[in-house]
Amino acid sequence: MVEANLEANLENFQVCDRDLDEATLARYQGAEAIAIDTETMGLVLGRDRLCLVQLCDPDGYVTAIRIALGQREAPNLKALLESPQITKIFHYARFDVAQLKYTFGIETNPIFCTKIASKLARTYTGSHGLKTLVQELTGIELDKTSQSSDWGNPDNLSPAQLAYAANDVRYLIGMRSQLTTMLQREGRWELADRCFTALPLFVDLDIMQFKDVFEHR
Ligand code: MN
């Protein structure tokens, strides 16, 4: 088992404040796909604010954007996430896409979600967390000890927090290829693609706090 190395993973890594800088936006706009993750104060949309947005391109170049208290706009990030020719890859897109729409009005599209892909392809297991998925598909063991930590003071993030944040986006692009191959083999690629297309609807229902509108009760 290879442990994700902190020093190695802080190479090819930069921190931006409030938004992507122009040069990084231009770099990422040339990519076919971008991996994204967010860190927040918690999991309750509308209560728990967005603190950090991490992005990674196919070359493994990671940017962590520190979001300021009360910030409601990030125009360069919005341009990238709404760019129709770039696939935005998340693990559990439903949460991050809702947080980005709620905070900045970003309509992320198109989307690939590695958690949905895993649920549709890896029916031999009930484990679809990022750590398990990265372990199975890449052999790398993610250190998740910073998962529940204070992201609310982004000027003082520890090296361990930054390494954790970077690792959450570093493996998504590669895993998309592997999961796509599995989905195609199992005849479920089209179903997955329809799930990804439906994600903005689930996000809008989540933002409006509708629960279970598809359920009988
Ligand atoms: Mn994360």
Side-chain angles (χ1 to χ4, degrees):
M1 198 65 62
V2 188
E3 285 225 13
N5 180 300
L6 187 141
E7 278 168 43
N9 283 323
L10 287 178
E11 285 170 22
N12 251 345
F13 174 85
Q14 66 164 352
V15 176
C16 282
D17 280 308
R18 300 182 70 94
D19 200 356
L20 279 174
D21 61 82
E22 297 294 333
T24 311
L25 173 63
R27 175 188 177 127
Y28 284 170
Q29 273 176 327
E32 169 269 331
I34 294 287
I36 306 157
D37 184 38
T38 65
E39 304 303 332
T40 64
M41 287 303 287
L43 299 177
V44 180
L45 191 65
R47 184 193 71 180
D48 299 330
R49 68 188 168 88
L50 181 63
C51 300
L52 200 69
V53 179
Q54 311 94 274
L55 303 105
C56 183
D57 72 7
D59 298 327
Y61 190 75
V62 175
T63 301
I65 307 171
R66 298 190 285 210
I67 306 303
L69 201 63
Q71 183 186 336
R72 302 302 286 183
E73 283 185 323
N76 286 353
L77 181 63
K78 182 176 167 74
L80 181 69
L81 298 197
E82 294 184 353
S83 176
Q85 64 272 30
I86 304 168
T87 301
K88 271 64 70 169
I89 307 170
F90 300 83
H91 188 75
Y92 197 51
R94 184 173 173 176
F95 176 77
D96 301 299
V97 171
Q99 191 64 246
L100 290 160
K101 182 165 182 174
Y102 179 84
T103 308
F104 297 135
I106 294 173
E107 308 260 9
T108 304
N109 177 66
I111 299 164
F112 184 104
C113 176
T114 53
K115 188 161 205 161
I116 291 173
S118 175
K119 285 183 174 180
L120 294 176
R122 296 171 63 252
T123 45
Y124 50 82
T125 174
S127 300
H128 303 286
L130 183 65
K131 187 179 169 73
T132 307
L133 196 58
V134 168
Q135 202 153 29
E136 182 181 309
L137 298 186
T138 74
I140 290 165
E141 186 164 12
L142 286 185
D143 179 356
K144 298 293 273 183
T145 48
S146 292
Q147 183 165 35
S148 302
S149 65
D150 180 9
W151 296 96
N153 189 4
D155 292 344
N156 292 303
L157 295 176
S158 68
Q161 280 180 304
L162 291 173
Y164 162 79
N167 282 339
D168 271 0
V169 286
R170 223 174 262 286
Y171 307 104
L172 297 181
I173 294 179
M175 293 200 304
R176 176 190 59 158
S177 305
Q178 290 170 280
L179 288 164
T180 297
T181 301
M182 288 177 81
L183 286 164
Q184 286 168 337
R185 187 191 72 202
E186 300 302 321
R188 299 206 185 113
W189 165 250
E190 198 210 339
L191 186 63
D193 198 37
R194 286 165 64 204
C195 290
F196 304 151
T197 303
L199 270 165
L201 168 61
F202 284 82
V203 164
D204 284 352
L205 291 166
D206 288 345
I207 288 172
M208 293 180 77
Q209 298 191 41
F210 281 109
K211 300 196 193 323
D212 307 326
V213 296
F214 295 102
E215 302 299 320
H216 175 60
R217 285 191 298 169

